[in-house]
């Protein structure tokens, strides 16, 4: 479970980095109400620390893929959601609603169940086997559907976002789709990125061995 620990640290580091950046910006507004006297972001130590932690999280998440199966690690990314909610509560004083608490509880149970039921032995395909897997019809269909979804969310986000910028009225469905498009796009890209990174690490390990 070395990979699990590294991945969890990376996810927490990502959440902490984002919250520290927001905390630094809020703190600067309180200390210096006059915008002209506020320090630029690179000169705010907490903001810089947040950027460093956020950047380091990427390295930890990538390194973890060399120690554990992707199917085991990917669900642990939800630690970012949990950590962000808790850190925002204590550092940014943002309230946690009853719905937030229930959602966090469900996520925790799901993560524990996934971790416990995940295979303890990882199958590591060779470079040749990976190339053949990428040629299979199932993966090609997956990539095509993924690109279609990303295109849909991008177009919807642009059109609805333009309405909001122009202060035009939007329906409740459009508001939901606008908010959902951000998370959905990030999820689609995130899943593909993790798959590509895991493949790259597997190829590197195969060549070294």
């Amino acid at each position: 479970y070395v990979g699990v620990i590294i991945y969890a640290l990376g996810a927490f580091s990502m959440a902490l980095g984002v919250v520290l950046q927001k905390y630094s910006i809020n703190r600067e507004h309180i200390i210096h109400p006059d915008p002209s006297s506020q320090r630029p972001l690179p000169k705010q130590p907490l903001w810089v620390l947040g950027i460093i932690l956020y950047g380091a999280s990427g390295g930890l998440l990538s390194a973890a893929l060399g120690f554990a199966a992707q199917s085991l690690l990917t669900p642990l990314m939800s630690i970012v959601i949990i950590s962000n909610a808790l850190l925002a509560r204590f550092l940014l004083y943002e309230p946690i609603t009853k719905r937030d608490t229930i959602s966090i509880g469900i996520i925790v149970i799901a993560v524990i169940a996934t971790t416990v039921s995940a295979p303890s032995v990882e199958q590591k395909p060779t470079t040749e086997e990976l190339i053949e897997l990428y040629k299979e019809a199932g993966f090609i269909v997956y990539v095509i559907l993924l690109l279609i979804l990303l295109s849909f969310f991008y177009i919807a986000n642009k059109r609805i976002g333009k309405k909001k910028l122009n202060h035009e009225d939007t329906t409740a469905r459009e508001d939901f789709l606008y908010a959902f498009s951000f998370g959905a796009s990030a999820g689609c890209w995130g899943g593909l990125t993790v798959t590509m990174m895991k493949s790259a690490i597997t190829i590197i390990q195969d060549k070294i061995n």
Side-chain angles (χ1 to χ4, degrees):
Y1 288 96
V2 174
V4 172
I5 295 173
I6 296 176
Y7 204 85
L9 287 174
F12 179 78
S13 177
M14 178 180 290
L16 180 59
V18 172
V19 172
L20 279 180
Q21 292 175 58
K22 180 63 176 176
Y23 176 81
S24 178
I25 294 172
N26 291 350
R27 183 171 178 268
E28 193 70 17
H29 284 304
I30 294 174
I31 296 176
H32 305 288
D34 183 6
S36 61
S37 62
Q38 294 175 4
R39 295 173 297 176
L41 296 178
K43 291 187 178 181
Q44 298 178 26
L46 287 177
W47 186 86
V48 174
L49 177 59
I51 286 290
I52 294 173
L53 287 173
Y54 189 86
S57 68
L60 290 171
L61 296 175
S62 299
L65 292 170
F67 296 93
Q70 179 182 340
S71 58
L72 172 62
L73 297 179
T74 303
L76 297 178
M77 199 61 188
S78 56
I79 291 176
V80 174
I81 301 174
I82 301 171
S83 301
N84 185 71
L86 295 176
L87 290 170
R89 170 66 181 85
F90 294 107
L91 292 179
L92 304 178
Y93 302 105
E94 295 182 1
I96 296 181
T97 63
K98 183 179 180 180
R99 179 179 296 180
D100 294 333
T101 304
I102 295 174
S103 300
I104 290 174
I106 294 173
I107 292 173
V108 170
I109 293 173
V111 169
I112 293 174
T114 303
T115 305
V116 172
S117 61
S120 57
V121 179
E122 178 187 4
Q123 294 182 349
K124 293 187 176 181
T126 62
T127 302
E128 291 73 21
E129 290 173 337
L130 275 175
I131 294 174
E132 290 302 318
L133 288 172
Y134 283 136
K135 292 180 180 179
E136 288 188 358
F139 183 76
I140 295 174
V141 171
Y142 161 73
V143 172
I144 292 174
L145 291 176
L146 188 66
L147 292 175
I148 292 174
L149 278 174
L150 285 170
S151 300
F152 169 75
F153 289 132
Y154 175 79
I155 294 172
N157 187 283
K158 282 293 183 181
R159 288 182 177 178
I160 301 173
K162 186 176 181 180
K163 281 187 175 182
K164 289 182 175 293
L165 286 174
N166 294 332
H167 303 288
E168 298 178 17
D169 293 333
T170 55
T171 64
R173 181 176 296 181
E174 287 178 324
D175 291 338
F176 173 80
L177 179 58
Y178 182 71
F180 183 77
S181 64
F182 286 102
S185 299
C188 290
W189 276 120
L192 185 60
T193 300
V194 172
T195 300
M196 295 296 101
M197 181 59 70
K198 178 63 176 178
S199 300
I201 292 174
T202 300
I203 292 173
I204 293 172
Q205 291 176 332
D206 181 48
K207 294 299 182 181
I208 292 175
N209 296 331

